[in-house]
Amino acid sequence: MATLKDIAAALGVSVATVSNVFNGRPNVGCATRQKILRVAKQMEYRPNRAAQAMRTGRTRAIGLVLPDLTNPFFPELAQAVENTARSRGLLVCLVDSQSRPEGEADGFALLMQHAVDGIIWCPLGPRPPAQLKNLARPVVLIDRPRPGYAVVHSNYRMGGRLLAQYALRMGHTRVGLLSGPQNIESAHQRREGFVKAFPRSIEIVWEVCVGFDGVLTPEALAALEQRGRATLFTGGTFLYVPDGVVIDQPIIGQHFSHEGGTSVLPHTLIVAGNDLIAISAIRRLAEQGVSVPEEVSVTGFDNIRWTNIVTPRLTTIAQPVGAIGAKAVELMQERMSGEKIASRRTIFDVELIERDSVRQLNSGS
């Protein structure tokens, strides 16, 4: 079985240099590190992690706590973290909080029992688990920012703005919002980016908050089922009136009565807080006989793999999941090496992915 001495001799470097690579110390250049790892793989070297842990007090294992693995975004994120961690000789212990605070707390307790060297954490909600107070290990946040922690996430406000710009470019000015849970910062920033982008040009006709699991609440279902009447006046002025409301006052020299107008949806576009919410909305609309995008358009956020296989294919915002996962592991290694990065924030740009779920209502630009 190959040893550190064998690898060092093969490359003409010191045993200490090889040892530093396998112990995750940052004082080895990238090119040298890659050569050592390549030769170690060729020689089928396998570090004795138990012996290393006894000697160094480090397990070379990190925890990854995610809110809900039934949401396809999080398995993709877990894979990104694990790919980078493995390439750096780190073992990832994955915890699924299962959307339950007690599940998150149990996960932290279990990771502490297994003496992981640090934890990458995507918070379930605004209240942290009690175990966090006694955790003598570095913590790096991923996807959902909180004050006081190093964090890696996407530019959610940018994503909201991109959707608002796209809505106007496609001629949509009356929007229904299926916002994500507003007690989660990432959902709050997505909404804020959209709503504040063009407040005088885009009217929010209705808004309902929905969980990121995509389960539509009774309020959301009621919003999707809204109907009303519309009349196009001389000069192109458009008036929408909900069912049951009567307007009999003169408007621009014309009359609009409860018998006039065409039955329409109050919104032409539904902006969803994430892709699961958007897909659930499309399914519900189909059950009502409402065609997407012919009668109403829908957008998502995240660009999970399902968005390219549902019908219609979903227009959404893509997050750079691979880069986010890799950066989180990089920050964790820096923390494990003793660097002080307590409140460092790394924010990645996002991208609009245009597919088939939004209809163009104007001539475009």
Side-chain angles (χ1 to χ4, degrees):
M1 180 178 176
T3 66
L4 295 181
K5 291 182 179 180
D6 297 329
I7 298 170
L11 287 168
V13 299
S14 68
V15 174
T17 298
V18 178
S19 177
N20 285 338
V21 170
F22 287 103
N23 284 310
R25 298 191 180 98
N27 57 343
V28 180
C30 181
T32 302
R33 180 183 299 274
Q34 293 304 317
K35 288 179 182 178
I36 290 172
L37 292 174
R38 183 173 64 252
V39 170
K41 185 175 182 180
Q42 292 170 353
M43 299 177 73
E44 297 184 350
Y45 171 72
R46 294 289 182 271
N48 187 330
R49 295 302 186 195
Q52 285 182 347
M54 290 286 290
R55 186 172 65 255
T56 66
R58 294 185 176 184
T59 61
R60 301 290 296 160
I62 60 174
L64 175 61
V65 182
L66 298 176
D68 178 16
L69 291 183
T70 64
N71 182 335
F73 174 77
F74 291 114
E76 291 183 32
L77 188 60
Q79 187 178 57
V81 169
E82 202 278 333
N83 283 344
T84 302
R86 186 189 304 186
S87 72
R88 295 175 178 234
L90 295 172
L91 174 69
V92 176
C93 302
L94 176 62
V95 171
D96 178 9
S97 298
Q98 301 177 1
S99 297
R100 299 180 300 113
E102 58 271 25
E104 185 176 61
D106 290 346
F108 267 87
L110 190 62
L111 292 173
M112 292 169 67
Q113 291 171 18
H114 284 270
V116 296
D117 293 333
I119 297 176
I120 297 175
W121 173 40
C122 181
L124 183 61
R127 298 185 62 181
Q131 289 84 350
L132 203 59
K133 296 179 181 179
N134 303 318
L135 184 64
R137 291 288 189 272
V139 175
V140 172
L141 267 58
I142 193 169
D143 185 59
R144 297 178 181 178
R146 293 174 65 99
Y149 292 92
V151 60
V152 185
H153 64 91
S154 291
N155 191 334
Y156 302 117
R157 290 187 178 91
M158 175 186 179
R161 289 194 299 271
L162 287 175
L163 287 173
Q165 291 168 1
Y166 180 67
L168 287 179
R169 177 159 63 86
M170 300 295 282
H172 295 274
T173 59
R174 295 180 297 117
V175 174
L177 280 185
L178 289 175
S179 305
Q182 293 302 293
N183 63 337
I184 295 177
E185 186 63 22
S186 59
H188 174 74
Q189 291 184 17
R190 296 175 192 196
R191 178 194 180 278
E192 187 178 63
F194 183 88
V195 171
K196 291 187 176 182
F198 303 101
R200 296 183 179 181
S201 302
I202 295 177
E203 177 189 1
I204 308 302
V205 180
W206 55 261
E207 179 177 3
V208 178
C209 294
V210 180
F212 274 150
D213 58 6
V215 177
L216 300 180
T217 62
E219 293 80 9
L221 295 174
L224 292 176
E225 292 171 2
Q226 287 188 52
R227 293 293 186 276
R229 292 163 284 111
T231 289
L232 187 64
F233 291 102
T234 305
T237 302
F238 181 85
L239 176 67
Y240 168 80
V241 181
D243 281 344
V245 175
V246 176
I247 292 181
D248 55 8
Q249 301 298 317
I251 300 178
I252 318 178
Q254 303 219 15
H255 251 65
F256 185 87
S257 70
H258 67 284
E259 296 179 351
T262 303
S263 179
V264 295
L265 295 166
H267 48 272
T268 63
L269 172 66
I270 296 171
V271 174
N274 74 354
D275 292 334
L276 277 187
I277 298 172
I279 292 170
S280 294
I282 290 173
R283 182 187 62 192
R284 180 59 179 174
L285 290 167
E287 292 172 354
Q288 299 171 12
V290 177
S291 178
V292 176
E294 288 77 14
E295 294 179 75
V296 65
S297 298
V298 179
T299 62
F301 203 114
D302 287 339
N303 196 37
I304 61 175
R305 294 175 184 174
W306 294 3
T307 56
N308 205 34
I309 60 176
V310 296
T311 302
R313 297 183 312 142
L314 185 64
T315 292
T316 187
I317 296 293
Q319 298 194 57
V321 177
I324 291 170
K327 187 62 178 181
V329 175
E330 179 185 324
L331 290 180
M332 176 54 67
Q333 281 208 297
E334 291 180 21
R335 287 294 313 275
M336 289 162 55
S337 300
E339 294 192 32
K340 296 181 179 180
I341 57 168
S343 24
R344 184 186 301 178
R345 176 172 290 200
T346 304
I347 302 176
F348 287 93
D349 286 349
V350 295
E351 178 186 4
L352 175 73
I353 305 297
E354 185 176 0
R355 295 196 179 100
D356 308 324
S357 62
V358 178
R359 176 189 174 194
Q360 187 159 355
L361 299 182
N362 56 17
S363 57
S365 59

